[in-house]
Amino acid sequence: MLHPMHPKANFPPYGRDFVTHNPTGRFCNGKLATDFTAEFLGFTSYPPAYFSQEAKGTNILNGVNFASAASGYYDRTAQLYRAVTLTQQLSYYTEWQSKVVSLVGKAKANAIFLGGIHLISAGSSDFIQNYYINPMLNKAYSPDQFSDILLQSYYTLVQDLYALGVRRIGVTTLPPTGCLPAAITLFGSGSNQCVSRLNQDAVSFNNKLNSTSQNLKSKLPGLKLVVFDIYNPLLELIAKPIDNGFFESRRACCGTGTIETSFLCNERSVGTCSNATQYVFWDGFHPSESANEKLAQSLLEQGFDLIS
């Protein structure tokens, strides 16, 4: 039986424009929107990946990153790509909490959990890398029904985090999935335009994400929960690249710019652009560092409640 490879970004040209000019595991030529947001808030370092060498000793007190490429709200998406499931990420999070308690004691640890900002970003892989290409899912569920399954997982995750003492949570919406270069290639029927069906599904999911989040806030006293809209800011960059300082928003920088991501985006990819700052997308799925910086400015404005 064939198993898809676990998507990774720990090799060039990923990371080529990062501060170290080395690949970091980020699916980008440089910083992510969350990196920029952390910078804007005054943080001087980025949370290390939980299993990295940097996530040792007192370093973990400033936060860690449990993200896994191709994971999602739906655990089977992660299993399909040998990624770390959301369920497993939560168990690593509780393990991290125990380490923090042993380092600083229960009272100080609880203050860290209470005051820390927790960011959740998922859903795109569930749709693009599972639902739309998996007849076992798309024949069994309508996009609306699949959204409900994902949002049930989100609802449970927030409740679980709340029970662990977490009170500040940010969650990102789906991007305009129909405008990702890889989605146009896979589902655009030869056109060069955004796939409206996919964008409609994303808007519908995002509306439900907002109402589910309102529901959680009303049920869980003291919870600060902010839904970060990345759909509209990214759509703005895609629809009006020139106005926003970009040259290209249909093709990505890496390779042919139509499909490449992870292992297909590598040092031998023919056609990779020399100046990624002109491109909205770095690879077939992910925005460039320049686009991420613009998105982060929007996220910062939206996230004021989380830091106040």
Side-chain angles (χ1 to χ4, degrees):
M1 187 175 171
L2 279 174
H3 287 280
M5 288 186 289
H6 175 195
K8 291 183 187 294
N10 56 355
F11 48 84
Y14 287 100
R16 71 177 196 189
D17 301 313
F18 196 68
V19 277
T20 57
H21 300 292
N22 288 317
T24 62
R26 290 165 171 81
F27 278 78
C28 188
N29 57 306
K31 297 173 194 168
L32 304 178
T34 44
D35 293 325
F36 282 114
T37 308
E39 271 181 27
F40 296 157
L41 292 175
F43 288 94
T44 53
S45 61
Y46 312 110
Y50 184 57
F51 286 109
S52 70
Q53 289 307 306
E54 293 86 58
K56 298 281 183 287
T58 54
N59 271 4
I60 69 167
L61 297 178
N62 291 326
V64 287
N65 188 343
F66 301 93
S68 179
S71 189
Y73 289 119
Y74 192 64
D75 275 359
R76 284 183 206 158
T77 302
Q79 289 159 358
L80 193 61
Y81 293 94
R82 297 183 178 178
V84 182
T85 65
L86 200 56
T87 308
Q88 186 62 53
Q89 288 177 46
L90 185 67
S91 78
Y92 290 143
Y93 176 78
T94 56
E95 187 180 281
W96 170 78
Q97 282 197 331
S98 304
K99 290 178 182 176
V100 172
V101 170
S102 65
L103 279 169
V104 298
K106 194 113 180 84
K108 201 165 178 191
N110 285 341
I112 290 172
F113 310 146
L114 190 76
I117 296 171
H118 298 69
L119 290 177
I120 303 166
S121 180
S124 295
S125 294
D126 292 314
F127 276 101
I128 301 275
Q129 290 166 275
N130 196 355
Y131 178 79
Y132 292 129
I133 59 170
N134 185 347
M136 288 172 70
L137 280 180
N138 59 44
K139 295 269 191 290
Y141 307 109
S142 68
D144 212 41
Q145 289 169 324
F146 188 61
S147 287
D148 290 340
I149 293 169
L150 302 185
L151 286 159
Q152 183 55 57
S153 166
Y154 163 68
Y155 191 90
T156 305
L157 175 66
V158 173
Q159 284 184 311
D160 289 344
L161 287 170
Y162 185 87
L164 292 167
V166 172
R167 292 297 179 270
R168 294 169 190 249
I169 299 174
V171 60
T172 58
T173 64
L174 286 184
T177 43
C179 296
L180 306 182
I184 293 174
T185 303
L186 291 168
F187 309 110
S189 309
S191 124
N192 191 27
Q193 301 305 307
C194 296
V195 186
S196 59
R197 166 177 68 96
L198 271 61
N199 280 353
Q200 284 159 10
D201 291 346
V203 168
S204 164
F205 175 89
N206 292 343
N207 289 339
K208 288 185 177 194
L209 180 66
N210 275 299
S211 55
T212 303
S213 300
Q214 284 299 333
N215 188 4
L216 282 160
K217 282 201 284 190
S218 66
K219 282 195 164 67
L220 303 172
L223 176 66
K224 288 188 170 187
L225 177 55
V226 171
V227 178
F228 288 107
D229 170 30
I230 58 168
Y231 183 98
N232 289 299
L234 185 52
L235 191 62
E236 163 75 16
L237 300 186
I238 293 163
K240 300 175 185 168
I242 306 295
D243 294 359
N244 290 287
F246 294 96
F247 165 74
E248 177 62 75
S249 67
R250 284 288 180 260
R251 281 178 56 246
C253 170
C254 197
T256 62
T258 55
I259 192 81
E260 290 91 347
T261 193
S262 191
F263 295 107
L264 295 177
C265 171
N266 59 62
E267 282 191 293
R268 292 185 182 157
S269 298
V270 176
T272 297
C273 74
S274 57
N275 184 3
T277 59
Q278 298 180 327
Y279 286 71
V280 172
F281 288 98
W282 163 247
D283 69 12
F285 287 90
H286 304 98
S288 66
E289 179 180 76
S290 298
N292 282 331
E293 186 169 11
K294 300 249 184 205
L295 293 175
Q297 288 161 354
S298 171
L299 296 186
L300 193 66
E301 290 159 20
Q302 296 176 53
F304 192 70
D305 279 359
L306 273 189
I307 51 174
S308 56

